Amino acid sequence: MPEDLQLLIDGEWRDGSGPLLRSVNPAHPHETVAEGATATGAEVERAVTAAAAAADGWRRTPHHDRGAILARAAVALRTEADAFGVELSREEGKLAAEGIGEVRRAAQILDFFAAEANREAGELYASPRAGESIVVSRHPVGVVGVVTPFNFPIAIPAWKIAPALSYGNTVVWKPASVVPLLAQRLARALTDAGLPDGVLNLVVGAGSLGQAIVEHPLVDAVTFTGSTTVGRSLIAACGAVAKPIQAELGGKNAAIVLADADLPAAIDDVVAGAFRASGQRCTATSRLIVQADVADQVMEGIRARIESMVLGDPTTAGTDVGPVITGDARDSIAAAVRAAGSGTRLLTAGDLLPDIDAGHYVRPTLVEVSDTRDPLWTDEIFGPVLAVTRVPDADTALRLANDSPFGLSCALFTSDLAVTLHAMAELRVGVLHINSETGGADPHVPFGGTKASAFGPKEQGRAARDFFTSMRTVYLQGRR
């Protein structure tokens, strides 16, 4: 039976009053994973009002008490990781092992921000005036609107909600409507751990709810991960009223394989970077730049790996690649491949859209591109499609990697230290991997892109303080 979906408003789990939402299994679209009524604008209003009313009490709660709630929720997620991970796989489509790993990563994120209570909370400066000290303290920004995507339905919400709560903010959260069940699992873990009423509010429904949260005058700041198009509209809305926004947007990430690289290891990492989670990661490898001397060898290695991949139900042992999230996503990815220009060469065989139980499957695809102006090379596709081109040398490879409006992640495969140091200085990305795939982000270090891939302060690690807190400079004058 499908799981029941509910909203969380002011500490109460309640049915929505909007249209019915059905969350379906992308591997078996006839199968409903969860269903329930969505929120309306009136329920967004109640959620924001509840968050505003709870804000003073929560910010005055000792940081260690706030952290203890996060830590208890982390224990609950670890305890249920196998069950929640399979639910994640059924709802979102990534492999069950990846889903279980994501739930455990969410618990790790909660633990990191629970421990913020044990770290320094401000700074003390010397004053040029006798008898005075200068203290810089940090304070919550207030009510935070959180809008999250489908592709990491519990990890990305955790890395936004955990710091927001740890630093004393209250939250109104709108998850992607195609993955509401995992949102409910995270919210219940937090409320069951003792989160006070109104501190976290969950509203599920259409994208217009996110816009309503962003534009609400009682929402003090917004954090968003999603498409560049939607992100820019939210940035504009916040800019119109000078509201802080942190936005993680699109990517068109490059992997560079030079002739001196460990080629078998590079091939393994490029395949993982391009096709894990069916390519539906903002950090996925979607451009491959290969030095001409080894290009044929690398392309053949990747092609052979692709040909051996098993597509199918992501909860079934032996499956290598699951479906993409929706039929519309599947069709959009296929259309992008089919629209590629005459200068492209398809290197993989088989039906692009295999018929597997009517699921939303796209076969992993490798395409050689001779014209780097082709949309297959320049535009984000968000699926299991890897475009590859040849270059004569390392300098050309670095220039081509930078030749993109996006700047999220890049991978460089080389054994040359001088080239590595040059790349560290020249590549305009937020995340650089040397001899590892473009995907992956640890919770204790900053994450985020440059150029059109991001707006505002970085996420995760201690960098999260820069968005979720405001600084206050206090001049303490003692005896004169």
Side-chain angles (χ1 to χ4, degrees):
M1 293 293 293
E3 295 287 333
D4 290 331
L5 294 176
Q6 292 185 303
L7 315 179
L8 174 63
I9 299 176
D10 201 12
E12 178 187 353
W13 288 98
R14 61 172 74 182
D15 294 332
S17 57
L20 181 71
L21 172 67
R22 294 176 62 247
S23 171
V24 302
N25 184 341
H28 308 283
H30 60 277
E31 177 185 308
T32 300
V33 177
E35 64 183 6
T38 55
T40 63
E43 283 152 336
V44 169
E45 177 67 30
R46 286 196 289 271
V48 174
T49 301
D56 282 346
W58 183 241
R59 70 176 175 82
R60 292 175 181 140
T61 300
H63 200 164
H64 282 86
D65 291 349
R66 300 196 300 259
I69 293 172
L70 297 183
R72 288 194 294 271
V75 171
L77 291 183
R78 285 195 180 88
T79 301
E80 298 291 341
D82 289 352
F84 289 175
V86 172
E87 286 184 336
L88 191 159
S89 179
R90 291 179 60 230
E91 186 174 53
E92 193 269 345
K94 65 180 55 164
L95 301 185
E98 294 175 353
I100 293 167
E102 183 179 335
V103 176
R104 291 174 177 160
R105 173 52 61 90
Q108 185 184 13
I109 293 164
L110 292 177
D111 276 337
F112 177 86
F113 287 105
E116 276 293 85
N118 297 324
R119 303 182 182 110
E120 79 277 4
E123 300 163 342
L124 176 66
Y125 291 85
S127 171
R129 291 163 292 279
E132 183 180 75
S133 296
I134 303 173
V135 175
V136 176
S137 56
R138 290 183 176 267
H139 304 268
V141 297
V143 178
V144 176
V146 175
V147 182
T148 56
F150 77 85
N151 57 327
F152 287 91
I154 196 166
I156 288 179
W159 81 41
K160 295 176 182 295
I161 293 169
L165 297 178
S166 179
Y167 296 126
N169 302 282
T170 58
V171 170
V172 181
W173 173 26
K174 192 270 178 203
S177 59
V178 289
V179 287
L181 179 56
L182 267 294
Q184 187 167 295
R185 297 304 189 212
L186 176 58
R188 283 194 181 275
L190 287 162
T191 56
D192 290 350
L195 203 65
D197 294 351
V199 172
L200 172 64
N201 302 272
L202 171 66
V203 292
V204 175
S208 58
L209 299 180
Q211 191 76 28
I213 292 169
V214 168
E215 294 176 352
H216 200 289
L218 293 180
V219 172
D220 298 294
V222 174
T223 177
F224 167 84
T225 296
S227 72
T228 298
T229 300
V230 174
R232 286 177 172 171
S233 72
L234 300 185
I235 291 167
C238 288
V241 293
K243 182 178 297 186
I245 182 169
Q246 172 193 66
E248 195 60 47
L249 308 173
K252 190 68 177 176
N253 310 296
I256 301 168
V257 179
L258 300 181
D260 61 359
D262 179 340
L263 296 186
I267 289 168
D268 285 345
D269 280 343
V270 169
V271 168
F275 305 119
R276 185 175 292 160
S278 301
Q280 298 174 122
R281 299 186 293 170
C282 57
T283 55
T285 304
S286 54
R287 294 186 295 152
L288 175 60
I289 303 165
V290 188
Q291 195 165 351
D293 296 351
V294 295
D296 288 337
Q297 182 179 351
V298 171
M299 290 184 202
E300 175 55 28
I302 294 172
R303 188 203 63 77
R305 289 286 305 278
I306 290 174
E307 299 289 335
S308 69
M309 287 180 171
V310 176
L311 276 70
D313 189 317
T315 65
T316 300
T319 298
D320 297 307
V321 180
V324 297
I325 187 67
T326 63
D328 286 346
R330 172 200 61 203
D331 296 344
S332 175
I333 295 163
V337 174
R338 290 167 177 159
S342 58
T344 62
R345 182 166 65 102
L346 185 65
L347 301 180
T348 44
D351 293 335
L352 181 61
L353 302 181
D355 184 9
I356 305 173
D357 296 331
H360 307 317
Y361 290 95
V362 179
R363 190 175 301 281
T365 302
L366 179 66
V367 181
E368 185 174 6
V369 174
S370 60
D371 183 355
T372 55
R373 295 169 299 178
D374 192 291
L376 205 60
W377 183 263
T378 59
D379 296 353
E380 185 177 35
I381 296 173
F382 220 66
V385 178
L386 177 61
V388 57
T389 197
R390 306 165 189 250
V391 294
D393 51 43
D395 285 342
T396 305
L398 297 182
R399 285 197 300 272
L400 188 55
N402 277 335
D403 186 20
S404 171
F406 299 107
L408 180 51
S409 182
C410 183
L412 171 64
F413 297 90
T414 182
S415 60
D416 190 320
L417 178 60
V419 170
T420 298
L421 294 174
H422 182 57
M424 291 171 63
E426 296 299 321
L427 285 170
R428 299 195 298 276
V429 293
V431 181
L432 175 60
H433 293 263
I434 306 299
N435 295 321
S436 62
E437 61 150 302
T438 54
D442 287 310
H444 63 292
V445 291
F447 175 83
T450 61
K451 300 191 284 185
S453 288
F455 185 89
K458 294 291 189 284
E459 298 190 86
Q460 301 205 75
R462 305 225 69 201
R465 294 185 304 170
D466 294 336
F467 181 73
F468 291 105
T469 66
S470 61
M471 289 188 288
R472 182 176 303 157
T473 302
V474 181
Y475 292 86
L476 293 171
Q477 180 58 251
R479 297 174 62 183
R480 292 183 182 274

